[in-house]
Amino acid sequence: MNINITKTTKSRITYINFDKLDFGRVFSDHMFVMAYQNGTWQQPSIEPYGSITFEPSMMALHYGQAVFEGMKAYHANDKTIHLFRPKDHHKRLNNSARRLCMPEIEESVFIEGLEELLKLDSAWVPKTHGHALYIRPLMFASEEYLAAKVSEEYQFFIITSPVAAYYSEGFNPVSLTTSENFVRAVKGGTGEAKAAGNYGGSFLPAKKAQEIGYTQVLWLDAIEHKYVEEVGTMNIFFLMDNKLVTPQLSGSVLPGITRRSVIALAKEWGIEVEERQISIDEVFDAHKNGTLQEIFGAGTAAVISPVGHINHKGESITLDREKIGPFAKKMFDAITDIQYGKIDDKYGWIHPVTLV
Ligand SMILES: Cc1ncc(COP(=O)(O)O)c(C=O)c1O
């Protein structure tokens, strides 16, 4: 693939304090850009990161045809950067695009674009263990036309942002509340796509949860309001009776790539894994009868996030709030060790990018 590369004439990296990184606030020097016009993707380019221009009639702003991904690159050594499961992220991006009636991107374009961008901005991949370069591929409808219909033009970007270790001050268990009035997604809707609008719609309930002291909403199913689905930007796991239980991918849950990794590792360790419907009542009952051992979320940002507290209709359960459980910690260590190349990658999850 031929990518037109225009390098920046003045890197901004010298202004960045890598000891004080605020998630998603600073961006590396370059971005991958590709436009879709006349029924096909045009020649891609890598350009200096910067503003783009569009008219207020741009369709993504009105009708919400916008999808994205979130993944990370890790410093393995001075010659190698590790991408974690980029082909799975690519597949999910295309699944999201299909659901929103947007054009798919070829795997080779996505992977080569990422590789070239990383080679150019390799100095932006933080070297401190736990830190990473967050990667945000995004696609949106760019036709300028006020008509509620499928856009005929799109823009695809990959931008990157160095981020600090999520747990620089130790694991901090989150507290969750279910919501009685709001739902995140319904089967047949866009919940299993990484569609921008899913997030916009969840901000009000999340804000209300925070106002009453909870970190995030624990989403229940939209029909019966009974079965656990997921949390903010994480899938959820319950260690109960020495089994690992997680909500099945019902059509309204985002198929997390960390989720899939957790399930594979747990099975390898001989843990029974159940992907099934799990009601909030079952979780509360397990806590009452002493079989609920650990609860944790799984997602790219935190990898594993211990849950210390759940509120549901005024009743609550509290686990060990001060620390992460032993199973969740073992899982966190195993996944991060694979990501940084500290242990063998039996599954082929790592895509190394070799620097010259
Ligand atoms: C709604 C939602 N659920 C779950 C996840 C976890 O997915 P992943 O492990 O692929 O980051 C994310 C993050 O992308 C998310 O936004």
Side-chain angles (χ1 to χ4, degrees):
M1 181 186 45
N2 193 3
I3 305 175
N4 282 334
I5 298 180
T6 311
K7 289 188 191 171
T8 181
T9 50
K10 199 169 181 310
S11 173
R12 287 173 285 104
I13 200 161
T14 44
Y15 305 115
I16 309 299
N17 181 355
F18 275 78
D19 295 326
K20 230 174 168 280
L21 293 169
D22 197 3
F23 191 99
R25 286 271 182 207
V26 292
F27 300 96
S28 68
D29 282 329
H30 298 91
M31 59 187 184
F32 179 90
V33 188
M34 188 165 67
Y36 182 92
Q37 280 162 350
N38 304 320
T40 178
W41 286 107
Q42 306 293 309
Q43 160 105 27
S45 61
I46 291 180
E47 300 169 11
Y49 178 87
S51 306
I52 55 173
T53 56
F54 50 83
E55 293 179 20
S57 58
M58 187 178 72
M59 288 175 81
L61 300 177
H62 302 266
Y63 310 113
Q65 260 187 307
V67 297
F68 66 96
E69 269 304 315
M71 54 195 283
K72 279 181 177 170
Y74 306 84
H75 172 89
N77 57 53
D78 286 345
K79 290 227 168 339
T80 325
I81 294 167
H82 281 175
L83 281 163
F84 188 65
R85 309 190 71 164
K87 291 183 178 170
D88 294 308
H89 283 280
H90 165 261
K91 265 194 212 112
R92 190 170 66 184
L93 178 73
N94 275 351
N95 290 344
S96 301
R98 263 198 311 281
R99 176 62 184 86
L100 274 284
C101 220
M102 302 164 82
E104 293 180 37
I105 289 178
E106 260 180 52
E107 185 185 88
S108 61
V109 173
F110 183 86
I111 297 292
E112 282 177 45
L114 267 176
E115 286 176 346
E116 288 307 314
L117 188 61
L118 284 177
K119 284 181 193 164
L120 208 54
D121 281 346
S122 60
W124 288 82
V125 182
K127 294 192 171 55
T128 312
H129 184 79
H131 292 32
L133 189 70
Y134 183 77
I135 300 171
R136 169 56 60 87
L138 70 148
M139 192 199 299
F140 54 87
S142 54
E143 191 179 350
E144 286 153 348
Y145 183 23
L146 284 193
K149 63 152 198 89
V150 176
S151 175
E152 296 197 358
E153 292 174 8
Y154 297 88
Q155 292 281 340
F156 174 68
F157 285 83
I158 305 176
I159 59 174
T160 72
S161 169
V163 294
Y166 201 85
Y167 294 113
S168 47
E169 285 145 26
F171 291 97
N172 196 11
V174 294
S175 57
L176 309 176
T177 180
T178 59
S179 169
E180 290 185 44
N181 303 320
F182 299 101
V183 295
R184 189 192 89 92
V186 65
K187 187 171 182 221
T190 57
E192 67 178 357
K194 211 160 161 61
N198 293 344
Y199 297 83
S202 70
F203 293 159
L204 176 67
K207 183 164 172 271
K208 287 185 181 288
Q210 281 150 18
E211 280 166 3
I212 55 168
Y214 297 97
T215 326
Q216 284 188 47
V217 176
L218 174 62
W219 297 109
L220 299 181
D221 77 278
I223 310 232
E224 291 181 72
H225 231 59
K226 186 172 159 190
Y227 297 103
V228 175
E229 298 233 304
E230 60 182 314
V231 181
T233 57
M234 294 188 296
N235 296 105
I236 188 126
F237 285 87
F238 302 91
L239 186 68
M240 295 161 68
D241 218 3
N242 294 321
K243 286 184 204 142
L244 192 60
V245 183
T246 192
Q248 69 202 44
L249 298 177
S250 57
S252 51
V253 170
L254 190 85
I257 285 152
T258 319
R259 174 189 182 278
R260 212 185 304 167
S261 312
V262 166
I263 291 172
L265 288 173
K267 286 184 177 166
E268 181 191 320
W269 299 342
I271 307 282
E272 202 176 315
V273 181
E274 293 179 354
E275 293 180 66
R276 60 166 171 87
Q277 280 193 320
I278 175 163
S279 71
I280 187 72
D281 292 341
E282 180 182 342
V283 174
F284 273 56
D285 288 346
H287 183 255
K288 239 180 258 158
N289 65 32
T291 52
L292 182 61
Q293 296 153 284
E294 295 184 30
I295 310 176
F296 60 90
T300 295
V303 184
I304 297 293
S305 178
V307 174
H309 187 88
I310 296 180
N311 171 66
H312 174 59
K313 294 185 175 169
E315 268 193 64
S316 60
I317 56 173
T318 300
L319 279 92
D320 196 343
R321 297 200 69 187
E322 301 309 316
K323 49 187 197 311
I324 184 167
F327 181 83
K329 177 68 168 63
K330 183 177 170 189
M331 191 56 81
F332 176 83
D333 289 342
I335 295 178
T336 49
D337 282 350
I338 293 172
Q339 289 168 334
Y340 289 94
K342 294 198 186 311
I343 58 170
D344 215 20
D345 167 32
K346 290 185 198 158
Y347 295 96
W349 289 341
I350 295 302
H351 182 98
V353 178
T354 309
L355 309 173
V356 280

